[in-house]
Amino acid sequence: MTGTSDLITSTDVFLTKDEVLNDYRIACESREVSITGRKDVFMGRANFGVFGDGKELAQIAMSKVFRKGDFRSGYYRDQTFLAAVGGLTWQQFFAQLYAHPDIAHDPFSAGRSMNAHYGNRWINDKGEWLNQTELYNTVSDVSSTAGQMPRSIGLAYASKLYRQNPDLAFLSNFSVNGNEVCFATIGDASTSQGMFFESINAAGVLQIPVIFSVWDDGYGISVPIEYQTTKSSISEALAGFQKKDDTNGIEIIVARAWNYPELIEAYQRAALYARDHHIPVLVHVIEVTQQLGHSTSGSHERYKSRERLTFEREFDCNLHFREWILSNDYANEEELKEIENKAKETAKKSRNAAWSAYRDSIKPDIESAMQLLKKAVAESKQTTELTKLTEELEHTENPVRREIISTVKKALVAMRFEEHQAKKAIITWLEKVTIENKERFNTHLLSEYPTSPMHVKGVAPEYDERSTSVDGREIINTYFDQLLAHEPRVFAIGEDVGKIGDVNQGFAGLQDKYGELRVTDTGIRETTIIGQGIGAAMRGLRPIVEIQYFDYIYYALATLTDDLASLRYRTAGGQLAPLIIRTRGHRLEGIWHSGSPMSAMLGCMRGIHVLVPRNFVQAAGFYNTILKGDDPALIIECLNGYRIKEKLPANLLDVCVPLGVPEVLKTGTDLTIVTYGSMCRIVMEAANQLEQVGIHVEVIDVQSLLPFDIHHRIVESIKKTNRVIFADEDVPGGASAFMMQQVLDEQQAYRWLDSAPKAVSAQAHRPAYASDGDYFSKPNAETIFEAAYEIMREVRPTDFPELY
């Protein structure tokens, strides 16, 4: 530490004694809770811990320019920042460490996220938005490295829209003239991720108020920076992005993590650029230390050199801050000792209070379970087994709900041949706690408020003498025209969406009519197109973002599944982003343009509605339904339907297609065929051919895959036909298998089947190119005809002899 004060120069930043000492208090408390939390993991009180040691000073400096209405899109080591802006108490810190599944104790995730994943609540218990301009806003953190970057583009882009579009002035609960800044934080190693580079580039192009803070501690777990970053410096690597006169780009600022006045000056400059001028900024915080190592999963002494460990001890930001305070006469040794001792006591009290509250929440379950088990011992013939189970639970140190439930279920297995009051009481208790645990752990995948799109009633299209038949592309173009005129919160972005109105003319002429802020071209950057939409949707806008072709959604899949799909769940209903992702697929030809990767969506998109309209009146109806609600949705338009004629309804802007409600396209008595999207036309063609040979099929369009047939209409069809085919153009075991599982398992349709159910899907490989490639890769009318014919031939071989 010799000579440290010589390295710190004076600054024009003026700070009061009270402010400096309060900053020191926060830094000391944050370090102490990190140390205490780490100990708790090793003691077995928590499963894992990741902490913010070494970043205390930089985060305090950042907090000084963070204003109400701003947003943090952050990194899971930002505990000091959250505490500095009043967004985190240390008892809440420990409650999340213990996974306390109560929103009153862990308001960030109700125990659903591991520790250090923060986020404030934006909506009330009716699902209505709170006033974001009065909140220090934090988007719920994600563990996937750099996953917080794409949405930061949208959070900042919303400020640009609020500042430049006067038609949004009425949304005063979301913005004050676009003065809000998004503070995005990230560890240096994670800047190697493509999401980071794409976000930096998008911010530089868009010129939006975002400040990227890179906490550079020289490592990514055990891998040093020379393996991570060109020139071993992200600020040097990004030097070409530096904004110059009359160019776009970003401002780049470098500050040392242990230098208090330098950090404060750096963030004051950054905030001036971002808030006042909407210029993005990179703040590269260098010489960050990490006193406790990466996490509780191992010691950093295994991979850091002796020299590096010495550096980390000597350049501990808290120690440097302490010496700076003393050398600048803000306090004396005795005053600082008092702060440090109180910080230790605060950490201890917070930890004890959180632990007691967590254990107290489990105590009623353990006490009632023990009481019921002991009663069962007295009444049951399985005394030995039940006594053993009871004693094991009684001697379990700090039992969790899993151990309680597991023991109770084992007891019921032991009493499976018995009937007595003790057993009945246990079953009643188990039913009650099952409901309680479902509420704790399985709720809020989608909106559970009155604002849910699931409550939107269907509105049928109406036709009159002016309802001419036009191409599908004209239907959707007319719809978007009416929508943009009616709803100022809606804007559309995507590749080729603006100037040419998208590759299929859905927005043709609408940029000229409504302006570039409403209908906007983007670069080829699917991940940040999605992120741009997520962030803007978080701020009260209703973006429609386009993935040009369905197959390209893989570029954005991590952002969709890790961030958007899990947002409402991981905040226990506290945050939302009602984004609409528009794309086109189905029956597109070629390996990379098949338009069919539905099974990936069904597996990854739980938390997002997946809608598959077969035509464009239906598509408009789904857009209307989603826009009336507060959930995100993926709407996949039929690529081969843009030039197919449809009647234009007189009430296009009012049409609503309810979610999870199939439509019967053709009635029949012999066989039910369940399908969706462009396959509807193929199945209908096959159904007409089958009718000519005496087979009458019932064709059902599911319309939406997530949610799926919420009223169980499909099983009612099967009760009539006793036979079923599930048809789609996904790979084997994909969407057709999903539909089969939903109907046979969930709806118990197997009870009414007289023939084996059949799934008709595409080949396992990517589809070959051109018409023949499509024909031999995906199901066609003949495929469907043959499958149905073979089922009926088994039933009535005389009527349906072998074909070939």
Side-chain angles (χ1 to χ4, degrees):
M1 296 294 293
T2 305
T4 298
S5 297
D6 296 335
L7 298 175
I8 301 175
T9 58
S10 62
T11 168
D12 292 329
V13 175
F14 298 101
L15 297 164
T16 66
K17 175 178 179 177
D18 286 346
E19 185 172 0
V20 169
L21 295 189
N22 187 56
D23 289 347
Y24 188 62
R25 175 190 62 81
I26 293 170
C28 290
E29 288 177 357
S30 184
R31 181 64 60 82
E32 287 300 328
V33 299
S34 294
I35 293 168
T36 305
R38 183 177 174 85
K39 290 178 180 176
D40 268 4
V41 174
F42 293 145
M43 288 172 58
R45 285 188 170 185
N47 290 347
F48 178 77
V50 60
F51 307 104
D53 48 296
K55 302 165 182 67
E56 292 91 348
L57 215 52
Q59 291 179 18
I60 287 170
M62 186 173 79
S63 74
K64 292 183 180 301
V65 295
F66 193 83
R67 302 286 180 260
K68 286 184 177 180
D70 287 347
F71 280 79
R72 168 189 162 273
S73 181
Y75 177 47
Y76 46 79
R77 296 187 188 273
D78 289 348
Q79 68 197 46
T80 311
F81 170 82
L82 265 294
V85 299
L88 168 69
T89 69
W90 298 128
Q91 184 172 334
Q92 291 168 346
F93 172 90
F94 286 105
Q96 190 176 60
L97 184 69
Y98 305 141
H100 193 153
D102 185 336
I103 207 70
H105 292 271
D106 171 13
F108 319 112
S109 71
R112 297 179 179 195
S113 291
M114 67 174 62
N115 85 299
H117 289 64
Y118 307 115
N120 65 310
R121 303 189 76 74
W122 300 339
I123 54 177
N124 62 23
D125 56 7
K126 296 179 182 177
E128 301 164 336
W129 289 101
L130 300 176
N131 188 338
Q132 291 184 343
T133 67
E134 297 177 351
L135 303 173
Y136 294 110
N137 298 289
T138 283
V139 183
S140 175
D141 297 334
V142 294
S143 285
S144 43
T145 57
Q148 69 274 30
M149 291 291 109
R151 68 182 181 221
S152 69
I153 301 304
L155 291 164
Y157 183 67
S159 289
K160 179 177 181 176
L161 295 180
Y162 280 121
R163 180 170 290 185
Q164 296 186 13
N165 184 355
D167 291 338
L168 297 176
F170 73 100
L171 294 168
S172 57
N173 281 1
F174 296 96
S175 179
V176 180
N177 194 36
N179 291 333
E180 303 77 29
V181 175
C182 175
F183 291 76
T185 65
I186 189 170
D188 179 72
S190 298
T191 64
S192 302
Q193 294 274 15
M195 288 181 181
F196 174 79
F197 281 99
E198 191 173 312
S199 298
I200 288 286
N201 183 60
V205 169
L206 292 169
Q207 293 296 277
I208 51 177
V210 56
I211 298 173
F212 300 101
S213 294
V214 178
W215 315 133
D216 186 354
D217 63 12
Y219 286 82
I221 307 184
S222 67
V223 181
I225 196 169
E226 55 264 32
Y227 289 92
Q228 305 277 2
T229 308
T230 298
K231 301 181 180 180
S232 296
S233 168
I234 194 61
S235 55
E236 291 185 27
L238 294 177
F241 283 85
Q242 174 66 53
K243 181 176 172 61
K244 299 179 181 179
D245 293 342
D246 301 321
T247 69
N248 57 20
I250 64 174
E251 288 292 338
I252 299 175
I253 300 171
V254 179
R256 293 167 290 182
W258 47 269
N259 192 318
Y260 179 64
E262 184 174 285
L263 288 163
I264 291 173
E265 192 274 337
Y267 276 103
Q268 287 185 329
R269 285 174 55 205
L272 179 67
Y273 285 125
R275 196 179 307 279
D276 293 359
H277 304 292
H278 279 201
I279 296 171
V281 184
L282 174 78
V283 179
H284 183 193
V285 180
I286 61 172
E287 299 182 9
V288 178
T289 60
Q290 198 171 67
Q291 275 61 44
L292 303 179
H294 174 266
S295 69
T296 55
S297 60
S299 171
H300 59 165
E301 294 177 353
R302 292 183 301 155
Y303 53 83
K304 288 180 181 175
S305 67
R306 183 179 301 173
E307 292 76 19
R308 177 68 195 192
L309 291 170
T310 299
F311 167 83
E312 298 209 352
R313 286 192 298 271
E314 293 185 354
F315 281 81
D316 182 334
C317 64
N318 285 12
L319 296 182
H320 275 256
F321 189 22
R322 189 183 201 280
E323 187 163 335
W324 182 86
I325 292 170
L326 293 171
S327 63
N328 287 276
D329 296 324
Y330 280 100
N332 57 38
E333 183 73 29
E334 185 177 338
E335 289 174 297
L336 296 188
K337 280 287 186 185
E338 183 179 0
I339 291 172
E340 291 157 8
N341 289 335
K342 284 185 177 179
K344 287 181 170 64
E345 187 64 24
T346 295
K348 182 179 179 181
K349 286 182 177 178
S350 299
R351 173 244 205 177
N352 290 343
W355 180 250
S356 294
Y358 172 61
R359 294 309 311 162
D360 286 347
S361 73
I362 298 176
K363 191 178 295 183
D365 282 357
I366 183 67
E367 289 178 349
S368 56
M370 288 298 301
Q371 185 178 6
L372 291 168
L373 288 170
K374 288 177 180 178
K375 186 178 179 182
V377 169
E379 293 188 26
S380 173
K381 296 178 181 179
Q382 308 300 319
T383 304
T384 303
E385 178 66 18
L386 294 179
T387 300
K388 179 184 176 184
L389 289 170
T390 304
E391 289 177 351
E392 285 176 355
L393 182 59
E394 193 169 26
H395 292 101
T396 299
E397 186 176 359
N398 299 320
V400 294
R401 290 182 173 88
R402 178 193 66 185
E403 292 161 326
I404 300 168
I405 300 298
S406 176
T407 299
V408 166
K409 288 186 174 181
K410 288 175 182 176
L412 288 171
V413 171
M415 295 184 288
R416 63 192 179 276
F417 295 114
E418 299 178 351
E419 289 297 333
H420 45 73
Q421 286 301 120
K423 179 181 176 181
K424 290 178 181 178
I426 289 177
I427 292 173
T428 300
W429 177 88
L430 183 61
E431 290 171 347
K432 179 180 79 72
V433 297
T434 298
I435 294 170
E436 293 170 350
N437 286 318
K438 180 178 177 61
E439 178 66 29
R440 289 186 183 106
F441 301 108
N442 308 128
T443 53
H444 297 293
L445 178 63
L446 292 156
S447 176
E448 297 179 7
Y449 301 111
T451 48
S452 168
M454 296 299 295
H455 298 311
V456 176
K457 304 297 183 185
V459 176
E462 297 174 0
Y463 301 97
D464 56 27
E465 66 278 358
R466 296 168 296 174
S467 299
T468 57
S469 290
V470 298
D471 287 349
R473 63 183 177 83
E474 295 180 68
I475 299 277
I476 203 65
N477 181 255
T478 301
Y479 169 72
F480 286 138
D481 186 3
Q482 294 178 6
L483 177 63
L484 289 165
H486 174 76
E487 177 50 86
R489 296 178 302 164
V490 169
F491 67 90
I493 64 171
E495 301 159 15
D496 299 301
V497 165
K499 191 74 172 178
I500 68 170
D502 86 41
V503 291
N504 291 98
Q505 303 296 286
F507 285 95
L510 300 186
Q511 186 181 81
D512 289 339
K513 188 171 182 178
Y514 296 101
E516 195 170 345
L517 288 177
R518 302 291 304 283
V519 183
T520 308
D521 283 317
T522 69
I524 301 176
R525 50 176 181 83
E526 284 82 4
T527 298
T528 48
I529 289 172
I530 295 297
Q532 197 169 333
I534 292 172
M538 289 173 168
R539 297 193 56 191
L541 300 175
R542 298 308 303 260
I544 298 173
V545 302
E546 182 171 304
I547 298 294
Q548 193 168 87
Y549 294 109
F550 188 21
D551 296 75
Y552 299 155
I553 204 166
Y554 288 118
Y555 283 98
L557 195 56
T559 298
L560 286 167
T561 186
D562 288 346
D563 196 358
L564 182 61
S566 71
L567 177 65
R568 203 183 281 269
Y569 173 78
R570 72 179 188 269
T571 61
Q575 294 187 357
L576 69 156
L579 174 65
I580 294 177
I581 305 105
R582 178 193 183 218
T583 189
R584 50 192 64 82
H586 311 300
R587 306 312 297 198
L588 188 56
E589 297 172 356
I591 291 173
W592 297 283
H593 300 82
S594 66
S596 309
M598 203 63 68
S599 53
M601 302 306 103
L602 296 172
C604 295
M605 298 287 197
R606 303 304 170 98
I608 300 174
H609 298 293
V610 177
L611 312 177
V612 284
R614 68 181 181 275
N615 60 40
F616 288 92
V617 172
Q618 276 192 310
F622 275 134
Y623 284 112
N624 286 332
T625 298
I626 294 300
L627 286 166
K628 288 179 184 294
D630 60 352
D631 277 332
L634 169 66
I635 299 179
I636 306 161
E637 298 173 7
C638 291
L639 181 66
N640 61 359
Y642 288 103
R643 296 189 182 278
I644 295 176
K645 300 294 183 183
E646 297 180 44
K647 261 193 166 185
L648 179 63
N651 63 334
L652 191 58
L653 200 59
D654 297 317
V655 174
C656 287
V657 178
L659 306 185
V661 179
E663 182 179 350
V664 176
L665 304 184
K666 186 179 188 302
T667 59
T669 55
D670 292 326
L671 175 69
T672 298
I673 303 181
V674 183
T675 191
Y676 62 86
S678 291
M679 279 294 293
C680 290
R681 287 189 288 276
I682 291 169
V683 170
M684 286 296 288
E685 180 184 346
N688 291 332
Q689 293 177 15
L690 287 163
E691 198 163 44
Q692 294 174 15
V693 298
I695 299 173
H696 301 277
V697 301
E698 185 147 296
V699 180
I700 297 178
D701 174 12
V702 302
Q703 301 197 99
S704 69
L705 286 164
L706 295 176
F708 184 88
D709 190 13
I710 59 174
H711 302 306
H712 292 187
R713 292 188 176 181
I714 296 172
V715 72
E716 294 305 315
S717 173
I718 293 172
K719 287 178 182 179
K720 176 175 61 174
T721 66
N722 307 118
R723 297 168 188 87
V724 64
I725 290 174
F726 300 93
D728 87 314
E729 56 181 83
D730 197 4
V731 294
S736 57
F738 166 78
M739 292 189 293
M740 182 181 286
Q741 180 271 327
Q742 289 286 298
V743 175
L744 300 191
D745 184 8
E746 182 72 19
Q747 300 184 17
Q748 301 283 289
Y750 69 89
R751 300 182 183 191
W752 290 276
L753 288 177
D754 292 336
S755 299
K758 187 169 183 60
V760 177
S761 56
Q763 297 296 316
H765 54 72
R766 293 284 188 101
Y769 180 58
S771 297
D772 280 351
D774 175 76
Y775 184 86
F776 292 104
S777 299
K778 292 186 176 184
N780 48 62
E782 288 74 33
T783 313
I784 303 299
F785 181 96
E786 291 162 2
Y789 189 91
E790 282 303 306
I791 289 176
M792 295 308 298
R793 180 171 172 268
E794 180 186 49
V795 179
R796 289 154 44 195
T798 303
D799 295 337
F800 305 108
E802 186 175 6
L803 293 174
Y804 28 77

